[in-house]
Each structure stands twice: as C-alpha cells, then as structure tokens.
Amino acid sequence: MKDLIAICAGVLMASPVIAGEPNWVGVWTGDYEWCKNADRIGSITPAPIRLTATEMEGYENSCEIKSVKGNDEFAYYRLIMQCSAEGETYTDHKVLMMDGADVLYIWFGAGEPVKFIRCGD
C-alpha cells in the first residue's frame, strides 16, 4: 500500500487540475445501509458523505474544495479544502482514489485508505 500511495503522490504532483464534473461526485458510504440517511447528511449519524465538485459534507462538518489536482487516467485526485467543524476552521488535504465507477478510497494522510461505496439513486 505504501508503494501505491507513493505512486499516487508522484502522479498527482505532475498532473493538471481536473476540468468538468469529477467522477468522484456523489454520495458515498462505508456501509450501504447508511444510504437510507442520505437526505439527512450532516444532521444524523450514521450517514454517508456527499462530495460535489465544490464541497465535501459529512456529519457535523463541511469543507469547501479549494483545489483539485489529479489524473483521470489513473483515477487519483488530491483535494485541498477549507473545512469547518464544531466551530473550528482548518485546511485539510485528502487523496481520492477511484476503483471503477462505484468504489472510492479516501486517504486521510495516515494509515490505510478508507473504502467507500456509492449510494444508488
């Protein structure tokens, strides 16, 4: 996994900003049962997270996406975000890695990436 993360970092540093709607836009969850709470993201737990081209929203936190660098061919993206949670604001970095159309891994900067699945329509 460390080799994969190193490769992703190299690809991201050399890649342009993504144009158009990203393939990672959608509602994502670690447990498909949580998709039933998709209309209440931010106010209930457990619930999925929502990613748009400009925002990441979860339980009691939201982030404005300030920068996206990535590579559609390799399906790796680095997001720099301005976030707020529980009255605090902070800058956050995430690495997104797509595995097909309906599986997303998010690397939070330490440990293994976390697997998410897309909630259906």
Side-chain angles (χ1 to χ4, degrees):
M1 184 53 71
K2 289 180 184 178
D3 291 338
L4 174 63
I5 292 168
I7 291 168
C8 292
V11 168
L12 289 172
M13 289 190 293
S15 300
V17 172
I18 305 304
E21 183 169 274
N23 56 359
W24 41 264
V25 166
V27 176
W28 299 92
T29 184
D31 183 334
Y32 199 75
E33 263 308 295
W34 301 352
C35 292
K36 66 184 176 194
N37 294 327
D39 60 336
R40 300 182 348 178
I41 292 172
S43 65
I44 189 172
T45 186
I49 61 170
R50 177 176 291 112
L51 283 166
T52 71
T54 59
E55 184 177 55
M56 175 185 271
E57 182 183 12
Y59 179 65
E60 294 186 349
N61 72 319
S62 63
C63 299
E64 180 184 356
I65 299 171
K66 296 291 194 176
S67 170
V68 177
K69 291 189 179 179
N71 186 300
D72 285 331
E73 181 181 356
F74 295 106
Y76 300 114
Y77 311 92
R78 179 173 179 256
L79 278 58
I80 299 175
M81 303 178 292
Q82 187 66 37
C83 302
S84 62
E86 300 181 7
E88 300 288 324
T89 59
Y90 56 96
T91 299
D92 199 5
H93 302 257
K94 299 281 188 269
V95 174
L96 308 181
M97 298 168 275
M98 295 295 299
D99 184 8
D102 296 323
V103 176
L104 170 71
Y105 289 89
I106 300 178
W107 186 53
F108 292 88
E112 298 290 319
V114 177
K115 181 181 179 179
F116 290 83
I117 54 175
R118 187 183 300 272
C119 289
D121 294 330

